[in-house]
Amino acid sequence: MFEIQNLTARYGPLVAVNDVSLSFDTGVRMGIFGHNGSGKSTLLKCLVGGVRDISGAVAFDGSPIVADQVHRNVMLGIGFVPQVQNVFPNLTVEQNLHIAGSKSDSSFLEEAYALFPLLRERQDQFAGDMSGGEQQMLAVALALMTRPQILLLDEPTAGLAPAIVKNVLGSLSRINSELGTGLILVEQNVLAALDVVERAIVLKGGRVVFDGASEELRAKEDLWAWF
Amino acid sequence: MEYILTVMVLIGINVILATSFNLILGYGGLMSVAHPIFYAIGAYCSGLLAIHLQIPVPLSILMGAGIAMVLSFGVSLPSLRVSGDYLVIASIGFQLGILHVINNLEFTGAAGGLTNIPVLNEGPSRSLVFVLLIAVVAACAVMLVGWIVEGDYGRAITAMRNDEEAFSALGRNAMNIKIVLFAIGSGMAGLAGALYAHYFAYVTPEQFGIFTSAALLTMVVVGGAATTWGPLVGAVLLTTLPQAITFLGLPVSIMAPLQGVIYTTLVIFFLFARPQGLTGGTRGGGGLEAWSASAAFRARRDAE
C-alpha cells in the first residue's frame, strides 16, 4: 500500500507538488491527470524517490521512500517507467532485459517474452532502432523484470500513433489482470487512459482537485475545463 | 636508437593514459577532463616517496598509482551530483586547483618541477628494458579495460551511459559504477605518471595541464571512443605525429602552436567526418556514435 502524507516537492523556488495526501493499494489501477506543469509527473517521481527536494512522507508497504535513492526504492516492489529514454539504445532487446533482470531473477526473461512476443522476435535488434511503440513495450518489460507489485508509468503513450496507444494500454490492462500488478499512469491522453484505470486523480497547480472513480470523471460534462 | 626508445616509452605511457581515459569518458560517458591530474598525482607522489622516504622505486610506483586511485574520489563524488557540461567544469576546477597547489609547494619543486627522481632501472640496456616493461603494462591496461567492458558489467556501464534515470529505475546503482570507473581509470593514469617519473627522472606541473587533457581527448576521439583498440591507435598516431613534425626543421615559435592546431583540427575533422574514430564501426561497436547514441535516440523519439 502506498501512503503519501502532506507531500510537497520543489524544483528550486518552484513548488511542483503542494501538500498532497493520498493512499492506495498496490493492485490499484489509477490515472493521474492534469495540464502541463500541474505536477503529475513530479508526483509520480516522488513515489519512487526521484525528486530530491521534498517534504512530507511517502511510504510503500510501511517502508519509507527515500528521496534520491531510486535504485533502492524500486527494489521494494515498485516498477518505474520514465517518460522518455526508458530503454538503452546501444544494447539489444535481450541485453536490455538482462540488465533489468540481473538485480532480480533473469528467469523472468521467458515470462517477459510470453507477455510481449514481439520482443522475442526482436531480441537481437538494438533498442534504439525500434519504433516508439516497440520501445514502450520494451520499457514496460524492463520494469516488469524487477517483479514489481505496482508499475508507475510516466506518459506511456506519449508520441505514439492511436493504434499503438490502444496496443500499449491493452498490454497494461493485461499485466494488471494476469499478474495482479497495480498500475499508476500519468497521462495526457485522458479518454484513452480512463478506459484502463478505475480511479482518477486530477492535479492543478500541484494540488489534488479531483479524486474519484474514473467513470465519475468521464461523466463530468465540464471534463476539459479541468485541464 | 635512444631517441626511438624514448618515443616508444612515450607511446606506451600515452596508450595507458588514453586507454584509462577511454574507460571513464568513452565507456562511462563521464565528461571529466581532469585525467592528467591523476597522471600528475602518480608521478609526483611516487617521485616524492622515493626521494624523501627512500621507498624502493617499484613500491613507490604502486603507491603513486594507489594514491591517484584514492584521490579519484575528488572527481567521482561531484559526478554523483553533476553531469555533462557541469562535470567538465567541476573537473577542470579540480585539475587547476591541484596544479596550483603543486605549483606553489616547495617540496614538489614548485613551478620548476621535481628533479632527481630515482630511476627504476639502470645499465646499458636501461631504455630497452623500460620499453619492454611499459609495453607489458600498456598491454595489460588494454586487456584490463577490454575485460571490464565485456559481459554483464560492461553492459551495465553502457546502460548507465545511455540513461542514468532508466538505469536506476531498474534497481541498478549508477553511483557504484561511476566510483569504480573513476578509481580504475585514475589508478591507471597514476601508474603511467609514476612510470614516467621514474624513467625521465624529472616532472614539471605544465606537463599535466589542459593541453594534456586536449591531447588525451584527441587520442580517444581519433582512435575511437568506447572501443578497445581506439585509444591505442590514437596514442600511437598522436605521439609519433608531433615527433615526425620536428624533422620538418621549423622554428620553435611555429612548432609549439602547430601541435595545438593539429590536435584541434583532428578533433573537429573526426567529430564531423568520422565520429566513430579510426577503429569504431557500428553503434554497438563504439566510437563517438555509440557515445552520443542517447542524444540521437532522444532526438528521434521526440520527432516521432
Side-chain angles (χ1 to χ4, degrees), chain B residues 212-226:
Chain B
T212 308
S213 298
L216 291 178
L217 181 66
T218 310
M219 288 173 196
V220 173
V221 169
V222 169

Side-chain angles (χ1 to χ4, degrees), chain A:
Chain A
M1 185 179 190
F2 256 117
E3 286 179 289
I4 305 167
Q5 287 179 339
N6 306 108
L7 178 70
T8 296
R10 296 179 183 82
Y11 296 112
L14 177 75
V15 177
V17 172
N18 196 347
D19 197 25
V20 168
S21 294
L22 289 169
S23 64
F24 39 88
D25 290 325
T26 46
V28 72
R29 279 183 286 135
M30 188 171 87
I32 303 175
F33 307 109
H35 58 73
N36 285 338
S38 61
K40 54 190 188 303
S41 288
T42 302
L43 176 59
L44 194 79
K45 281 186 182 174
C46 287
L47 297 184
V48 77
V51 181
R52 200 173 291 162
D53 188 4
I54 63 163
S55 59
V58 182
F60 180 72
D61 281 349
S63 303
I65 298 296
V66 183
D68 213 20
Q69 294 288 320
V70 176
H71 65 284
R72 286 194 187 147
N73 297 327
V74 294
M75 298 318 286
L76 296 172
I78 307 164
F80 177 53
V81 183
Q83 184 180 356
V84 288
Q85 307 149 42
N86 46 23
V87 298
F88 307 114
N90 281 8
L91 299 177
T92 65
V93 167
E94 183 142 328
Q95 287 171 342
N96 266 268
L97 291 166
H98 273 298
I99 288 284
S102 56
K103 263 281 182 179
S104 49
D105 183 358
S106 58
S107 70
F108 198 50
L109 189 67
E110 281 306 311
E111 291 177 52
Y113 282 147
L115 267 170
F116 301 105
L118 181 82
L119 296 182
R120 189 195 297 276
E121 291 170 27
R122 304 284 166 86
Q123 60 182 313
D124 295 324
Q125 189 174 340
F126 281 112
D129 293 340
M130 297 167 83
S131 70
E134 290 165 351
Q135 283 175 9
Q136 204 57 49
M137 249 179 235
L138 177 58
V140 173
L142 289 181
L144 288 174
M145 291 293 284
T146 61
R147 294 186 180 263
Q149 297 172 53
I150 191 163
L151 205 49
L152 316 181
L153 301 111
D154 194 357
E155 303 206 24
T157 67
L160 302 182
I164 310 292
V165 168
K166 207 174 167 185
N167 269 349
V168 170
L169 292 177
S171 301
L172 295 176
S173 289
R174 219 169 65 240
I175 287 164
N176 177 257
S177 57
E178 290 177 14
L179 304 177
T181 309
L183 299 173
I184 300 184
L185 307 178
V186 162
E187 260 302 337
Q188 294 275 10
N189 197 341
V190 182
L191 288 177
L194 285 175
D195 288 339
V196 176
V197 300
E198 58 194 5
R199 180 176 170 187
I201 284 171
V202 180
L203 291 178
K204 198 167 189 176
R207 290 182 184 274
V208 176
V209 293
F210 176 89
D211 181 359
S214 55
E215 288 310 311
E216 193 185 331
L217 181 63
R218 191 198 298 274
K220 281 193 174 294
E221 289 182 0
D222 61 342
L223 174 65
W224 300 113
W226 293 84
F227 305 104

Side-chain angles (χ1 to χ4, degrees), chain B residues 176-259:
Chain B
N176 288 349
I177 291 186
K178 286 181 182 182
I179 288 172
V180 167
L181 290 183
F182 270 116
I184 294 173
S186 303
M188 286 165 67
L191 179 64
L195 288 168
Y196 180 97
H198 292 287
Y199 178 77
F200 290 100
Y202 171 59
V203 289
T204 62
E206 66 182 24
Q207 289 173 273
F208 309 104
I210 295 295
F211 184 79
T212 308
S213 298
L216 291 178
L217 181 66
T218 310
M219 288 173 196
V220 173
V221 169
V222 169
T227 64
T228 306
W229 301 107
L232 187 147
V233 172
V236 171
L237 190 69
L238 288 153
T239 310
T240 50
L241 193 62
Q243 300 296 330
I245 290 169
T246 57
F247 291 106
L248 294 175
L250 296 170
V252 178
S253 59
I254 294 177
M255 286 289 294
L258 186 61
Q259 204 173 31

